[in-house]
Amino acid sequence: MFYDMFTCATPNYSTQNDSENTPVVVLEGESKKTFENLLSYIYPNTFILIDWDNIEEFLRFSEKYIVDSVLLSAKTFLEREFRKNPLYSLILADRYHFKSLYKESSKLVLDKFPEYKRKDIFSQLSLYSHTVLTKKYNAYTDSLAKLANVDFTSGYLHCDDCNKQSDHDLKINQEFIERSKQVQILPLPLPPTPPSATRKILFNSIGYRTCDNQFMTFQLPRKFKKHFGVFEPLECKKHKKDPTFYLYVELGE
């Protein structure tokens, strides 16, 4: 892009001053500091790091002027650091169509959705993102309110070693009635249990028998997915896979 700009630039021949005849390319609407930082990042005379203070300007400028190497570096920074500022990361992922980053940062935003929704910068999300996040969280709270009605043992095929299947069904259902009470929607102004905490409570071990393990491995994930939808662990380049599972949304859902 800059090569084309310089090629098309023409000097001002209306003056006899050679310095004024030098072709000039004006970058409309750009600050000297932003351009200086960009050049310093590409050609490190002054060492410049991408950080939370300049990430938005680096993204905007590098996309506008097609500086792919800087755009990729800015994206990599966000993929590495988004856990420190998930809502801002989600806003930037939304704006620049970073699909993987959007999905991962949405997990943390949805986990504390009432808190993030009150922040001023939440309004910077696109209408699409605002809508899908709100819809996903409302569906979660609706499912949470109906959790006590779920029959966790319906359709469960006990293992061959389970001699008293009806007693085992009763024991499991009683256990999940108690767990449901732990995650029920509390009276306002207390927020609902976060999605990741709900899943963690429900997936605590119920025992060490073979049939208990079979229930936790096969039956519970199926029931949970049917009632709440898909949860996934958090992926982050800076950390190992997070064992916690989260609700999420994706670009273009």
Side-chain angles (χ1 to χ4, degrees):
M1 175 169 283
F2 284 101
Y3 177 83
D4 289 342
M5 285 182 177
F6 298 146
T7 301
C8 297
T10 56
N12 181 6
Y13 292 110
S14 62
T15 175
Q16 300 299 315
N17 190 325
D18 289 340
S19 63
E20 294 183 6
N21 290 338
T22 303
V24 174
V25 174
V26 178
L27 303 181
E28 297 290 347
E30 302 297 346
S31 71
K32 292 184 290 185
K33 185 63 177 176
T34 298
F35 193 55
E36 180 185 358
N37 285 344
L38 183 82
L39 292 178
S40 296
Y41 187 83
I42 299 172
Y43 310 107
N45 181 23
T46 302
F47 188 67
I48 295 291
L49 283 174
I50 295 177
D51 57 28
W52 290 109
D53 292 329
N54 59 30
I55 180 67
E56 187 170 2
E57 281 295 282
F58 268 107
L59 283 169
R60 184 190 60 78
F61 199 98
S62 58
E63 184 191 52
K64 180 178 178 180
Y65 293 105
I66 320 178
V67 189
D68 291 340
S69 61
V70 178
L71 186 65
L72 179 60
S73 295
K75 180 184 177 183
T76 300
F77 168 82
L78 288 172
E79 290 173 339
R80 188 178 65 247
E81 303 292 340
F82 73 92
R83 299 174 81 142
K84 297 178 181 178
N85 202 339
L87 179 56
Y88 190 37
S89 298
L90 182 64
I91 290 168
L92 295 176
D94 184 21
R95 188 176 300 166
Y96 295 99
H97 307 288
F98 298 150
K99 290 188 175 182
S100 177
L101 176 65
Y102 185 94
K103 177 180 177 180
E104 297 307 310
S105 53
S106 77
K107 294 174 182 179
L108 299 180
V109 171
L110 282 168
D111 218 43
K112 297 181 179 179
F113 189 70
E115 173 186 333
Y116 284 119
K117 192 175 182 180
R118 291 193 296 267
K119 292 184 178 294
D120 291 338
I121 64 169
F122 189 84
S123 62
Q124 296 181 29
L125 285 167
S126 67
L127 177 60
Y128 165 81
S129 293
H130 187 284
T131 301
V132 295
L133 285 166
T134 303
K135 182 179 179 180
K136 180 70 75 170
Y137 190 77
N138 287 344
Y140 162 73
T141 57
D142 288 345
S143 298
L144 202 59
K146 300 173 184 176
L147 184 60
N149 299 326
V150 176
D151 183 352
F152 284 92
T153 59
S154 65
Y156 177 50
L157 298 177
H158 292 259
C159 66
D160 295 336
D161 296 335
C162 189
N163 298 321
K164 298 181 178 180
Q165 296 183 5
S166 59
D167 289 346
H168 195 207
D169 281 346
L170 181 61
K171 176 188 172 184
I172 292 173
N173 280 322
Q174 287 176 339
E175 174 63 31
F176 278 89
I177 288 172
E178 293 303 313
R179 294 185 184 190
S180 297
K181 292 177 182 178
Q182 295 180 51
V183 298
Q184 287 296 293
I185 296 179
L186 299 173
L188 295 174
L190 295 175
T193 306
S196 65
T198 294
R199 190 188 184 281
K200 185 176 182 179
I201 290 170
L202 293 179
F203 275 78
N204 282 333
S205 176
I206 60 172
Y208 301 98
R209 296 168 51 190
T210 301
C211 204
D212 291 333
N213 293 331
Q214 179 174 292
F215 174 85
M216 296 299 296
T217 303
F218 300 105
Q219 177 76 355
L220 181 57
R222 182 175 66 84
K223 286 288 185 177
F224 183 89
K225 181 179 178 180
K226 183 178 180 180
H227 190 69
F228 285 107
V230 179
F231 280 48
E232 287 186 1
L234 194 65
E235 300 285 349
C236 184
K237 290 186 175 181
K238 193 176 181 180
H239 303 271
K240 295 180 180 179
K241 182 175 286 189
D242 190 330
T244 306
F245 281 68
Y246 299 87
L247 197 62
Y248 63 89
V249 294
E250 297 185 83
L251 273 174
E253 274 194 344

